[in-house]
Each structure stands twice: as structure tokens, then as C-alpha cells.
């Protein structure tokens, strides 16, 4: 088994890199993706909450949602990595970390794929990523409940 402090540092670094990528992708969505999407899907529309919108609007919204969830779970991954310094043997922390990464790949990745390709069938992958996110947060919570003594010691 590797040094617990190294494991925590690796997850923190992974979370930081995923957060940086979320910023890059969010900036891409804000400064270029919208015009490209309008060119890719001219005149196409979609119903959103009973109103008609350009398809490009729906796709840019999906892309931004992917970046938002990626950032949120990258920060969660950093929190998990920090927690590993106090509870290095907590299995739930490892489960949470991997669940967050898998969730980002599946949920955010599927939304990026939908936006960039227009293939709405990729939306079938998103719930798997959402489930991974839920598993990650529950595993994180359980690890905190089970590791209470490590966190109360100064």
C-alpha cells in the first residue's frame, strides 16, 4: 500500500487539475462554443420547459452544466484528498474519490459529447455519472461518520 499522505496528495492534485479543466471548458463555453454551435445547428429548435429555443442554446446550457458539475466534484475530490491526511485507511474515502472521477467522466463527459456532436443518445450515459456522484457523496459521508475519532484528534 502506498504512503497515505501521497495518496491524499494525488487526489488533491487530480481534483485541482480537474478544476482547472472545468475553468478552461467553462471559458470555452462562454467565448466561442456558442457561435460554433449556431453554425452547426442553424435554425434547429428544441422545447425547454414548454418554450421553443434554438438547439444551440440547449447544447450550450448542457455544456455549461457539465462544467459546473465537474467543478463541484473536483472540489469534492480535493476535500476527499485532504480528509485522507486524517483518515488514511478510510475505505469510503477511496470509494468517494473514484466515484467523483467516474462521475465527472460519465456525467460531464456525456454532456460535453452531446454539445459537441449533437448526439442526444449520449444522454443515456449521464444518469450513470449522476449515480456515481451520489455514491461518492454517500461514501464520503459514511467515511466521516466512521472516522470520527481521527478527525476529533488535534
Amino acid at each position: 500500500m502506498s504512503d497515505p499522505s501521497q495518496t491524499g496528495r494525488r487526489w488533491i492534485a487530480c481534483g485541482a487539475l480537474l478544476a482547472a479543466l472545468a475553468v478552461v471548458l467553462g471559458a470555452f463555453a462562454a467565448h466561442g462554443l456558442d457561435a460554433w454551435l449556431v453554425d452547426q445547428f442553424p435554425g434547429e429548435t428544441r422545447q425547454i420547459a414548454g418554450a421553443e429555443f434554438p438547439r444551440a442554446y440547449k447544447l450550450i446550457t448542457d455544456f455549461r452544466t457539465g462544467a459546473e458539475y465537474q467543478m463541484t466534484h473536483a472540489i469534492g475530490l480535493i476535500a476527499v484528498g485532504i480528509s485522507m491526511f486524517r483518515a488514511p485507511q478510510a475505505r469510503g474515502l477511496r470509494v468517494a474519490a473514484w466515484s467523483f472521477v467516474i462521475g465527472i467522466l460519465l456525467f460531464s463527459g456525456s454532456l460535453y459529447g452531446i454539445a459537441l456532436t449533437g448526439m442526444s443518445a449520449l444522454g443515456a450515459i449521464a444518469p450513470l455519472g449522476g449515480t456515481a456522484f451520489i455514491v461518492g457523496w454517500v461514501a464520503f459521508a459514511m467515511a466521516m461518520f466512521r472516522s470520527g475519532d481521527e478527525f476529533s484528534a488535534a
Side-chain angles (χ1 to χ4, degrees):
M1 180 177 271
S2 65
D3 175 14
S5 66
Q6 282 297 98
T7 302
R9 282 187 182 93
R10 285 186 187 115
W11 285 119
I12 293 167
C14 182
L17 291 172
L18 287 168
L21 182 58
V23 172
V24 169
L25 292 170
F28 173 59
H31 303 290
L33 182 59
D34 56 345
W36 183 80
L37 288 172
V38 169
D39 289 343
Q40 297 301 306
F41 305 101
E44 292 185 39
T45 60
R46 290 289 183 267
Q47 285 278 330
I48 304 172
E52 195 80 17
F53 287 92
R55 185 172 185 199
Y57 178 81
K58 171 68 170 124
L59 295 174
I60 195 79
T61 301
D62 289 346
F63 194 94
R64 287 179 178 154
T65 299
E68 179 183 334
Y69 273 70
Q70 178 173 333
M71 178 60 81
T72 300
H73 290 87
I75 293 168
L77 186 56
I78 292 168
V80 168
I82 292 168
S83 299
M84 286 181 174
F85 286 94
R86 288 288 193 132
Q89 303 306 319
R91 181 176 176 267
L93 294 177
R94 291 189 306 276
V95 170
W98 281 110
S99 295
F100 290 162
V101 169
I102 291 166
I104 289 169
L105 291 173
L106 295 177
F107 183 84
S108 296
S110 69
L111 293 183
Y112 300 146
I114 291 167
L116 296 174
T117 67
M119 294 175 48
S120 57
L122 292 173
I125 299 169
L128 299 174
T131 301
F133 288 150
I134 294 165
V135 167
W137 288 114
V138 170
F140 193 10
M142 290 176 63
M144 294 299 93
F145 283 125
R146 291 181 178 161
S147 303
D149 293 339
E150 289 96 337
F151 283 90
S152 61

